[in-house]
Amino acid sequence: MIPSAGPLQPGVNVARRRRLQRLREAFIAWVLRACAFSAVAGLLLIMVFVFREALPIFTSAETQREANFLGFFTVPNWQPVSDVPKYGLVPLLVGTFKIVFVAMAFAVPVAVLAALFASEFASPRLREILKPAIELLAGIPSVVLGFFGLMVLASWLQSVTGAPVRLNAFNAGIALSLGILPTTFSVCEDALRAVPKSYREASLALGASRWQTAWRVTLPAASAGVAAAILLGLARATGETMIVLMASGNAALGTANVFDSARTLSATIAAELAEVVVGSPHYSVLFFLGALLFLITFVVNVAAGLLVDRLRRRLAGA
Amino acid sequence: MVTDVPTIRTRVAEVPPQDPAAPAVPPTPAHLIAEDFHLFYGTNEALKGVSLEIPARTVTAIIGPSGCGKSTLLRSFNRMNDLIPNVRMTGRLRLTDLDVLARSTDVVDLRRRVGMVFQRPNPFPKSIFENVVFGLRLLGVKDRGELEVRAEDSLRRAALWDEVKDRLDHSAMALSGGQQQRLCIARSMAIEPEVLLMDEPASALDPTATARVEELILDLKSRYTIVVVTHNMQQAARVSDRTAFMLQGELIEYGDTRQLFTSPHKRLTEDYITGRFG
Amino acid sequence: MSATILGQKVAALPRKQPRDFAGGAFTALSGAAAALIVLMTAVIIGDVVLHGWQTVTWEFLSGVPREGMTKGGIWPAIYGSVLLVVLMTVALVPFGVGAAIYLNEYANPDAPFTRIVRFAVHNLAGVPSIVFGLFGLGFFVQFVGVQMDRALGLDVTWGQPALIWASLTLALLNLPVVIVTTEEALRAVPREMREASLALGATRWQTIRNVLLPQAMPGILTGAILSVSRGAGEVAPILFTGAAYFLPYLPTSPTDQFMELGYHVFVLATQSPDVDATKPLLYGTVLVLLLLTLLLNLTAMLLRARLRANLAGRS
Ligand SMILES: Nc1ncnc2c1ncn2[C@@H]1O[C@H](COP(=O)(O)OP(=O)(O)OP(=O)(O)O)[C@@H](O)[C@H]1O
Ligand SMILES: [Mg+2]
């Protein structure tokens, strides 16, 4: 029998050590909890401080004389720096809608089809090419996509569509679609992959073709996740700034034609805020636009989150 | 092996005693006691009033069909179930004088006194040496010499020293499954617990490695109170002094191993050990 | 052909599954969609490399902009970007990793606090970057900075757009990235590792420090790198919080403004009086920015791939 190396750590010391250790543990747990709270604090601060700077629109008579809530929707023009500033949001809302619409119309089918391809049809080797390409695209800064839309895409598209101006809503929409493709694709593909293999096997065993299986079994099973992917794309498209700022031409026209130049809410903030006087009505209005953007994307994101939860529950329950 | 003993003894003698007031005797004999112990996973009652007394320095085997609550009982003795949300326990568990379930009981101290070896070997992705001294470092042992002595001692007791003494700095992940399991046993022993809980310690091992672990258990009995869960009744018969048979969360029979396997008191026990169900 | 089932006459089922021509076409279409994404990515990167590589010389990288930004280099922008990202990382990583550790190792997943934090992380990730810019201006510059000046009795020092405010704004923007990737990395550490450590008498924090964090390190690094890459490319949040159009000197204090690569691209592309003269510089700047972000991304991708391979190999 081999003797032991003697007793470990006399009892008195252990007790004192443990007491200190317990204090330290409690302190660390508290610090980590505070770190976790920082995300909540961040979100709350964003809300408070963006809304706070927009508040004069509702509270200050002086600001209201120049810019008021009703006027946002009744004044037809956005001309904040003329002698009589006009703060009509309609052209901006129309511009945002046009560009986002084009971007979604292009990005959603491409992303969903490509996700179907990646999860249902692609060989592992093809996936090895596709996934890094998507991650690369996701890694391209939006200012570079904006640059590409401005310098390259605009000329190509103009030569194809014959649009009167190079920089227009259509051009910005296509450039913007590049920015939202990766998110939409990834969320969509995750959802498709989460569908159990047994679903597919059941369908294939009934003699369905691979496309029929993908279209009628896998995609419906993942529908909540696909919807979430589309919503997340929508939220990103609505809030995206640099791409539209550079590729849209930025004229606040408010026409329905997608080949006219257009201006979005986000681009308006980016283009104008640096020049305004802090606390002026114009400043407040720009923060109001920010608050509006925050609210829109917040609602869309919450909806997307609920859909993802639902998908998870449904597949877990199955 | 015996020839090496003097070296260890002399080297240990060089390690200065940390506190002169410390008792020179090894840790007091442990004694695990469960009294009407219930455990609920949410609303599912996994243990339904278990009472048993485990004498110090014996090997106790817990047998029973899958899902009967063997692991659950074992993991209650070192409060490992605390990690699982929505676990509720009633009744009493004691380690000699310590109330295991009391709020005031320090689980870290408890787990230092009650070591555990798991079904699947789970060495850390660190070197063999760092695995063995992991618990010692936690206790604040910094002296390199003392760490080395204790590591060697634990590895010898786990009958692993000769196989790894030349590669203590290699990754533990490169060891075979059986070696990994003995390393995990050495790791548990390094902090000198009173009790060793083993949850199917040999079920992931081949017959040779299993035999080595069984020898080891018999060897360790003189120093530790050992509780071992097993599915293998021959194994229970070979290594244990006492055996507990559980069924659906209840302790059906508990007693001397030889007697339980040759002339069980309960019909259910007999059915189980003769393979008539489960 | 017909058959009788339950007394009803029905047409006999075909013996062979009809060929699914439409399906074949759609399958091909989905492949085309995937190919389109790859193609567009290649075109963007190819265009920038093709037009930019000749500009990127040592003089370009180390020089300062000259002659109304139609000549010279981009050193101040590179320097500013690096400084910005370093400060951001310093502020970001402790909070992000701490929050992830809390969520994964301490929090009860059903507790209201945990749900609120997760909700906040999810929605923080969705806040448009321009709103972060507004927030940075409204909170850091106009509130924190102005209050600091008032408290310290200074002239306008902190209460103006500055490096520090831009970094902090970007840090908040990237907080969800770090939290999510760190959590993923922690989740990937097998439960047995936690049990082994705790069973040896380790405290929770000792388990995290000695067992979990070392094993989760590649994943945490991935998150940090991804956020650095994102931080280096985001322009909207720094537009009003510290980025400068042109600065004749390099920033030396956290209250200085700074030039930044992404913003410099924007400036060259949209504010230049002579577009053709700046075009080579513009392409060169874009190439540098792209190389920087893509290399970071590539590193993160490789790290993550190795991490996943390790995990797959283990189980
Ligand atoms: N984490 C848990 N959450 C909920 N129920 C659990 C959990 N762990 C175990 N159970 C349930 O408790 C009962 C006892 O499980 P336990 O793991 O103790 O059985 P066992 O006897 O060790 O089985 P085996 O021989 O298969 O290891 C089982 O019915 C099991 O489903
Ligand atoms: Mg078990």
Side-chain angles (χ1 to χ4, degrees):
Chain A
M1 214 55 281
I2 297 160
S4 113
L8 259 176
Q9 287 283 330
V12 191
N13 278 353
V14 170
R16 183 170 333 118
R17 262 178 68 91
R18 271 301 290 154
R19 232 179 357 260
L20 285 175
Q21 209 170 41
R22 263 200 301 272
L23 274 177
R24 205 180 63 154
E25 289 284 319
F27 175 72
I28 289 169
W30 185 85
V31 169
L32 293 174
R33 202 178 154 87
C35 286
F37 185 72
S38 69
V40 182
L43 193 66
L44 284 176
L45 284 176
I46 290 176
M47 277 201 263
V48 169
F49 278 85
V50 172
F51 286 73
R52 189 181 90 135
E53 304 285 315
L55 211 58
I57 292 167
F58 303 98
T59 56
S60 149
E62 198 184 331
T63 303
Q64 277 173 338
R65 218 171 302 131
E66 216 180 271
N68 63 66
F69 188 73
L70 200 62
F72 289 156
F73 302 99
T74 53
V75 175
N77 298 320
W78 176 264
Q79 284 164 357
V81 284
S82 60
D83 291 338
V84 186
K86 297 201 183 82
Y87 298 106
L89 299 194
V90 175
L92 305 183
L93 291 170
V94 170
T96 306
F97 179 79
K98 273 198 299 191
I99 292 176
V100 169
F101 181 81
V102 172
M104 296 299 285
F106 185 69
V108 168
V110 172
V112 174
L113 281 171
L116 266 178
F117 180 76
S119 78
E120 308 299 306
F121 306 119
S123 66
R125 270 200 41 216
L126 274 178
R127 236 197 320 264
E128 297 276 299
I129 302 174
L130 185 57
K131 298 277 279 197
I134 301 266
E135 291 197 30
L136 278 184
L137 185 58
I140 296 179
S142 58
V143 69
V144 174
L145 294 178
F147 153 87
F148 184 75
L150 168 75
M151 304 290 293
V152 184
L153 194 64
S155 305
W156 291 353
L157 289 179
Q158 193 183 28
S159 66
V160 175
T161 62
V165 286
R166 275 181 84 244
L167 301 181
N168 53 47
F170 186 74
N171 179 53
I174 300 293
L176 181 55
S177 74
L178 297 173
I180 62 174
L181 265 174
T183 316
T184 318
F185 171 89
S186 302
V187 178
C188 212
E189 206 225 349
D190 283 348
L192 289 170
R193 280 169 160 267
V195 175
K197 211 156 104 199
S198 59
Y199 285 30
R200 299 184 179 95
E201 284 167 354
S203 167
L204 292 171
L206 286 170
S209 71
R210 293 224 287 170
W211 172 260
Q212 286 166 333
T213 303
W215 189 251
R216 299 189 189 180
V217 178
T218 316
L219 197 62
S223 59
V226 175
I230 295 173
L231 285 183
L232 286 175
L234 178 65
R236 289 211 59 180
T238 311
E240 177 53 59
T241 307
M242 296 316 289
I243 299 176
V244 293
L245 178 62
M246 294 169 81
S248 68
N250 283 321
L253 297 177
T255 58
N257 188 345
V258 292
F259 296 110
D260 283 341
S261 173
R263 181 176 199 130
T264 65
L265 295 168
S266 57
T268 304
I269 302 170
E272 295 175 10
L273 189 65
E275 329 270 86
V276 303
V277 179
V278 171
S280 67
H282 190 183
Y283 179 87
S284 298
V285 172
L286 292 178
F287 270 88
F288 176 79
L289 298 188
L292 200 61
L293 270 183
F294 179 90
L295 281 180
I296 296 171
T297 51
F298 189 79
V299 168
V300 176
N301 273 311
V302 169
L306 291 177
L307 283 171
V308 170
D309 283 349
R310 173 198 268 193
L311 174 74
R312 210 168 284 151
R313 267 204 309 277
R314 195 156 87 183
L315 291 182
Chain B
M1 242 200 336
V2 178
T3 51
D4 291 337
V5 171
T7 18
I8 289 186
R9 195 176 279 137
T10 41
R11 277 163 71 188
V12 168
E14 288 160 20
V15 178
Q18 304 228 327
D19 186 339
V25 289
T28 49
H31 211 79
L32 284 175
I33 300 166
E35 284 168 20
D36 190 28
F37 179 64
H38 297 254
L39 184 143
F40 301 80
Y41 291 114
T43 53
N44 169 26
E45 186 170 10
L47 293 177
K48 303 166 182 164
V50 173
S51 301
L52 83 173
E53 288 192 18
I54 296 174
R57 301 190 182 195
T58 56
V59 178
T60 300
I62 304 180
I63 60 170
S66 192
C68 68
K70 304 183 295 293
S71 300
T72 302
L73 178 61
L74 201 68
R75 292 163 58 92
S76 301
F77 283 123
N78 68 345
R79 299 251 312 252
M80 219 54 189
N81 289 322
D82 285 16
L83 303 184
I84 301 165
N86 301 321
V87 166
R88 201 159 54 78
M89 293 172 275
T90 63
R92 272 160 67 76
L93 286 184
R94 280 195 290 137
L95 171 67
T96 320
D97 47 336
L98 181 74
D99 182 352
V100 170
L101 301 181
R103 285 192 76 118
S104 59
T105 296
D106 184 336
V107 290
V108 170
D109 282 342
L110 172 71
R111 289 177 188 151
R112 189 181 138 350
R113 290 174 64 185
V114 182
M116 183 164 226
V117 176
F118 297 81
Q119 181 170 4
R120 280 186 34 194
N122 54 359
F124 300 120
K126 299 172 185 268
S127 71
I128 294 170
F129 181 77
E130 283 304 324
N131 264 280
V132 181
V133 302
F134 184 86
L136 296 171
R137 289 198 191 279
L138 297 179
L139 284 170
V141 180
K142 294 204 181 67
D143 181 78
R144 182 80 197 175
E146 184 178 354
L147 288 174
E148 279 171 6
V149 175
R150 289 186 181 280
E152 178 176 346
D153 184 38
S154 301
L155 286 168
R156 278 186 191 283
R157 276 190 272 146
L160 190 60
W161 175 251
D162 293 324
E163 288 158 67
V164 302
K165 65 182 172 206
D166 300 323
R167 45 171 175 157
L168 290 175
D169 55 342
H170 289 209
S171 167
M173 308 306 269
L175 296 175
S176 75
Q179 289 173 326
Q180 288 188 358
Q181 192 62 304
R182 276 178 284 145
L183 177 64
C184 292
I185 294 173
R187 186 174 67 180
S188 303
M189 289 189 302
I191 54 172
E192 300 182 352
E194 301 160 32
V195 179
L196 266 184
L197 306 173
M198 301 185 166
D199 194 352
E200 305 185 38
S203 72
L205 307 181
D206 66 34
T208 326
T210 301
R212 301 216 60 170
V213 170
E214 286 181 12
E215 272 172 42
L216 185 55
I217 292 173
L218 286 172
D219 232 29
L220 298 175
K221 178 166 87 170
S222 61
R223 291 179 50 87
Y224 305 102
T225 302
I226 296 176
V227 187
V228 52
V229 167
T230 177
H231 267 285
N232 179 334
M233 273 172 282
Q234 283 78 34
Q235 185 172 70
R238 279 194 299 267
V239 301
S240 72
D241 305 307
R242 298 167 69 80
T243 297
F245 170 59
M246 292 180 63
L247 190 62
Q248 292 178 358
E250 290 180 71
L251 181 67
I252 303 298
E253 187 166 348
Y254 174 50
D256 178 72
T257 297
R258 177 115 42 92
Q259 181 256 316
L260 188 134
F261 277 104
T262 50
S263 54
H265 293 305
K266 298 274 170 59
R267 182 64 195 270
L268 287 168
T269 315
E270 188 177 345
D271 286 350
Y272 183 71
I273 60 179
T274 52
R276 243 170 280 166
F277 72 85
Chain C
M1 281 215 286
S2 66
T4 309
I5 296 176
L6 297 177
Q8 301 252 351
K9 255 186 143 43
V10 294
L13 289 172
R15 300 177 60 102
K16 278 184 67 179
Q17 203 76 10
R19 284 293 297 272
D20 181 25
F21 289 109
F26 278 115
T27 308
L29 194 65
S30 76
L36 184 65
I37 296 180
V38 178
L39 185 75
M40 285 191 301
T41 312
V43 164
I44 297 171
I45 297 175
D47 178 71
V48 173
V49 173
L50 210 64
H51 291 90
W53 70 273
Q54 279 169 312
T55 313
V56 182
T57 59
W58 176 245
E59 285 73 41
F60 179 71
L61 293 175
S62 62
V64 298
R66 280 181 287 113
E67 297 174 34
M69 296 204 214
T70 57
K71 295 245 166 53
I74 53 169
W75 172 242
I78 297 178
Y79 184 82
S81 294
V82 171
L83 218 55
L84 175 74
V85 171
V86 168
L87 281 179
M88 173 200 82
T89 311
V90 169
L92 164 65
V93 170
F95 278 98
V97 172
I101 292 176
Y102 179 80
L103 287 175
N104 213 50
E105 304 298 326
Y106 287 78
N108 169 1
D110 298 324
F113 180 75
T114 318
R115 284 160 176 264
I116 291 172
V117 172
R118 288 198 183 284
F119 177 84
V121 172
H122 170 77
N123 284 291
L124 203 55
V127 173
S129 52
I130 188 73
V131 176
F132 277 98
L134 288 175
F135 161 73
L137 176 65
F139 178 65
F140 289 124
V141 179
Q142 298 297 343
F143 182 75
V144 180
V146 167
Q147 296 299 326
M148 276 172 73
D149 283 342
R150 194 168 300 161
L152 300 170
L154 295 168
D155 284 343
V156 179
T157 310
W158 296 93
Q160 61 183 349
L163 184 56
I164 176 91
W165 303 139
S167 309
L168 291 178
T169 307
L170 278 183
L172 185 60
L173 177 108
N174 277 315
L175 189 63
V177 179
V178 174
I179 293 180
V180 169
T181 44
T182 304
E183 256 208 281
E184 191 186 332
L186 286 172
R187 256 201 303 272
V189 180
R191 205 185 53 160
E192 290 93 59
M193 290 296 125
R194 294 176 178 81
E195 295 192 336
S197 173
L198 293 170
L200 287 168
T203 62
R204 216 197 284 244
W205 175 246
Q206 285 171 330
T207 301
I208 292 166
R209 262 227 25 214
N210 298 320
V211 179
L212 301 184
L213 283 184
Q215 290 194 50
M217 205 34 91
I220 296 173
L221 228 52
T222 307
I225 294 173
L226 275 181
S227 64
V228 166
S229 153
R230 220 180 128 196
E234 281 285 356
V235 178
I238 59 170
L239 280 175
F240 335 114
T241 50
Y245 181 83
F246 174 74
L247 271 187
Y249 55 88
L250 296 178
T252 54
S253 114
T255 57
D256 282 346
Q257 293 201 1
F258 58 98
M259 290 182 73
E260 198 261 357
L261 278 171
Y263 186 56
H264 197 59
V265 168
F266 171 67
V267 168
L268 289 178
T270 61
Q271 324 270 300
S272 165
D274 184 351
V275 178
D276 286 329
T278 46
K279 204 166 169 181
L281 287 187
L282 175 55
Y283 265 103
T285 314
V286 173
L287 181 56
V288 172
L289 175 61
L290 209 53
L291 278 179
L292 199 76
T293 50
L294 292 191
L295 280 182
L296 286 167
N297 261 295
L298 212 63
T299 318
M301 261 158 64
L302 292 178
L303 261 174
R304 182 181 284 179
R306 259 200 28 206
L307 189 72
R308 297 221 165 119
N310 278 351
L311 281 180
R314 192 170 331 145
S315 59

